[in-house]
Amino acid sequence: MSRTRLAVPVLVAAAALVLSACGGTSSGNQSTGPNTDQLVIDTTFDIKSIDPARDFEPTGDIVVKAMYDTLLTFADTDTTTVVPDLATYTSNTDQTEFTLTLVDGRVFSDGTPVTADDVVFSLQRLIGVAGNPSFLLDGVTVTKVDDKTVQLTTDAPEPALPSILASPPTGIVNSKVVQANGGTTDSSDGAENYLNSASAGSGPYMLQSMDITSQVTLVKNPDYTGPRTPTYNTIILRNVPAATQQMNLERGDSQIAMSLSGDQIGSLASNIKVESVPSATTIYLMANADPSVNAYTSKPQCLRAIREAIDYASLVDLAGAGAVQATGLVPIGFLGALPASDAPVFNLDAAKADATACGMAGQPITLSYPNDIDPTGVSLTNLAQRIQQQMQTAGITINLAPVPVATELDNYRAGKEEMGLWYWNPDYLDPADYFVFAPGGSVALRANWQANADSAITALTEQITTTGDETTRQDLFEQWGRAMNTDSPFIPLIQPGLNVAHQPSVTNIYYNPLWFLDVAGIGAA
């Protein structure tokens, strides 16, 4: 299921939202020019901490991205090419040694320079505090070379590491300030409370106040020297129910609403701008590969029948505006994503024939799913019911087993589901994040798909992990995706859509699957 990414939507490069509208005001009344004093964003909070080493929730990512620069980043809507932020980098041919050189002139919000000591402390702290995002740097050793240079080394090739270094949890903190407030690089660290109430970064915004249940207020950092160009003096993120978000937006109490339903979008006032695009969430079916769990889901021909029985276009229609069929497990917009021509295909006649030939026709299979989670606004219950109907048309009997997520996670993790309906959100912007679905991976084992289950896919996975060239990786990942579509126990279904509503006075909104919304990139007209 990946990190908790339910409350705030995400986008990918191919469908990135770039709003550039003119007219309107931030208050709903006529104005003679842009109002850049304050921007109010209504969303539904999922935030536990804004300590970078512990942040791994959507709202927290928005705040951390605003306050803390990372060594590397992605530019605007591009989610495939890493670019410098605090540093430039080089790597050896084996992708086991990465040298990062700090750019000149970058300072923290108190005016002190960003140094190699700050980088080493920040990354070692991320590893040492063992918070939710600590796994991002598993197996990475961080050492100082000189005052401007840091080296990261790994025992095994890690071509995804540059992408990982663009993730908000790798944000660089002011080491002296954090250490003075209880910060360490191990489990004794006590700086979280301080970092939830103060600023210790070099980003374009600083924290003014935060209540993790209601509101976060950010103010522009007057000492910011980075490449972003913050427009608004104050950014307010509010935790607001979706029903109230529409009312706030229409009467001008907010400028952006991030959690409106399809029905609300359809009833918005005519002056409100709306964009609907795909998210980076992949909703998929999982079939158990263990014959002791189910004798049919473990048979390749039966699994092929299930793939063929799904009317993917119907599921996209059910998901609503912005949704697209998932071409593979790696979402559209990522390096290595498959083109539409490689997506699974609905073939009812073939499904009936394969279901009969493998002996599955009429045999009950239980489809389990969490019934209290709607990833990116899509009801898993509605999807499960639609899939059940489609399978029945092909002669495949599906019994639905909806259970609260807290309960169903136990069955999922224990590999007991005959079939499961789940979703994945990216932990970092590299397709290597999806190796958890490869034979023996952490998600593959939920389907009892063991490390020796498919030698061809395993060989591709190993080849990709030693390849740093992007063109070669693109080709290998496409090969991997096609093999996963035909031979794995996972069936990618859809990438749900995202609806974003905004006042016409707001421009240049760039979304990213990791930090969702870079508030420093938003403009005003």
Side-chain angles (χ1 to χ4, degrees):
M1 189 172 60
S2 185
R3 69 161 75 185
T4 304
R5 288 182 177 271
L6 307 178
V8 179
V10 293
L11 297 181
V12 294
L17 173 60
V18 184
L19 304 182
S20 184
C22 295
T25 72
S26 62
S27 64
N29 299 318
Q30 202 63 29
S31 173
T32 57
N35 182 348
T36 60
D37 182 53
Q38 177 175 285
L39 178 71
V40 178
I41 303 168
D42 283 352
T43 184
T44 48
F45 273 20
D46 190 339
I47 183 172
K48 295 180 181 178
S49 178
I50 55 171
D51 176 348
R54 293 178 170 89
D55 159 51
F56 213 48
E57 286 75 36
T59 312
D61 285 339
I62 296 174
V63 176
V64 170
K65 175 65 177 176
M67 294 172 58
Y68 296 91
D69 291 326
T70 48
L71 294 168
L72 305 174
T73 190
F74 291 91
D76 297 335
T77 62
D78 186 351
T79 57
T80 62
T81 305
V82 175
V83 298
D85 191 350
L86 287 173
T88 60
Y89 86 97
T90 58
S91 64
N92 64 356
T93 56
D94 294 335
Q95 303 291 304
T96 58
E97 184 178 288
F98 299 82
T99 302
L100 294 117
T101 303
L102 291 172
V103 299
D104 293 329
R106 301 296 285 274
V107 298
F108 290 108
S109 57
D110 65 358
T112 60
V114 178
T115 69
D117 289 327
D118 298 307
V119 173
V120 172
F121 175 80
S122 300
L123 299 186
Q124 288 183 344
R125 181 172 179 267
L126 171 61
I127 297 167
V129 300
N132 284 336
S134 294
F135 79 95
L136 291 171
L137 295 183
D138 278 351
V140 177
T141 300
V142 184
T143 55
K144 175 182 176 181
V145 177
D146 56 41
D147 288 343
K148 293 184 67 67
T149 312
V150 174
Q151 193 169 81
L152 276 60
T153 57
T154 61
D155 291 335
E158 189 56 81
L161 187 55
S163 295
I164 291 171
L165 292 175
S167 301
T170 68
I172 305 305
V173 302
N174 187 324
S175 59
K176 291 181 180 179
V177 170
V178 174
Q179 286 173 309
N181 287 276
T184 67
T185 58
D186 57 33
S187 59
S188 68
D189 177 84
E192 182 178 12
N193 287 341
Y194 170 78
L195 291 171
N196 281 337
S197 61
S199 297
S202 60
Y205 284 93
M206 303 181 300
L207 183 69
Q208 183 179 84
S209 63
M210 181 180 74
D211 183 328
I212 62 173
T213 65
S214 61
Q215 181 169 302
V216 178
T217 302
L218 303 170
V219 294
K220 191 183 293 186
N221 174 10
D223 290 314
Y224 177 65
T225 56
R228 289 185 277 173
T229 53
T231 296
Y232 293 90
N233 295 326
T234 303
I235 304 284
I236 298 175
L237 290 93
R238 302 190 303 197
N239 186 20
V240 177
T244 308
Q245 287 187 31
Q246 179 176 356
M247 179 176 63
N248 288 346
L249 186 64
E250 290 180 331
R251 68 187 182 188
D253 287 344
S254 66
Q255 286 76 55
I256 299 174
M258 300 183 67
S259 310
L260 300 186
S261 68
D263 289 342
Q264 287 177 295
I265 292 295
S267 63
L268 280 170
S270 59
N271 67 305
I272 300 299
K273 305 295 184 181
V274 178
E275 295 291 334
S276 297
V277 292
S279 71
T281 300
T282 303
I283 297 180
Y284 62 91
L285 277 179
M286 178 183 72
N288 206 300
D290 185 349
S292 69
V293 176
N294 187 281
Y296 302 102
T297 59
S298 58
K299 293 182 178 181
Q301 189 173 27
C302 291
L303 188 54
R304 185 166 66 244
I306 294 171
R307 286 194 187 94
E308 294 164 340
I310 299 171
D311 184 346
Y312 299 93
S314 174
L315 299 186
V316 170
D317 289 342
L318 181 64
V324 296
Q325 180 182 352
T327 59
L329 291 168
V330 176
I332 297 167
F334 275 51
L335 176 76
L338 292 172
S341 58
D342 286 321
V345 177
F346 171 50
N347 189 331
L348 182 58
D349 290 339
K352 290 178 179 178
D354 281 330
T356 299
C358 78
M360 179 173 56
Q363 300 296 324
I365 298 173
T366 299
L367 173 59
S368 304
Y369 60 92
N371 64 350
D372 55 350
I373 286 181
D374 296 336
T376 319
V378 174
S379 167
L380 293 183
T381 295
N382 291 344
L383 276 181
Q385 291 171 349
R386 181 68 60 87
I387 291 167
Q388 181 188 45
Q389 295 166 2
Q390 294 175 355
M391 295 294 170
Q392 189 62 47
T393 303
I396 302 169
T397 301
I398 298 293
N399 294 331
L400 301 183
V403 179
V405 64
T407 302
E408 191 53 36
L409 277 173
D410 291 336
N411 291 327
Y412 162 74
R413 290 167 176 161
K416 294 180 179 179
E417 293 181 337
E418 294 183 12
M419 286 183 64
L421 179 61
W422 289 96
Y423 60 96
W424 185 264
N425 299 302
D427 295 312
Y428 51 89
L429 292 186
D430 189 276
D433 189 39
Y434 294 82
F435 284 158
V436 292
F437 292 91
S442 59
V443 178
L445 292 176
R446 311 306 187 204
N448 291 305
W449 203 38
Q450 305 299 326
N452 61 355
D454 192 304
S455 60
I457 293 178
T458 297
L460 271 173
T461 303
E462 292 174 351
Q463 185 179 0
I464 294 170
T465 60
T466 62
T467 302
D469 178 73
E470 282 199 0
T471 301
T472 304
R473 291 184 89 220
Q474 170 78 26
D475 178 66
L476 291 173
F477 265 111
E478 289 186 6
Q479 294 181 44
W480 185 88
R482 286 190 288 268
M484 291 290 289
N485 275 0
T486 58
D487 300 325
S488 82
F490 301 101
I491 304 172
L493 301 175
I494 60 171
Q495 288 178 227
L498 162 68
N499 297 312
V500 176
H502 66 101
Q503 292 275 350
S505 59
V506 180
T507 67
N508 301 321
I509 299 178
Y510 296 101
Y511 282 84
N512 180 284
L514 284 184
W515 52 77
F516 311 109
L517 180 62
D518 183 359
V519 296
I522 299 175

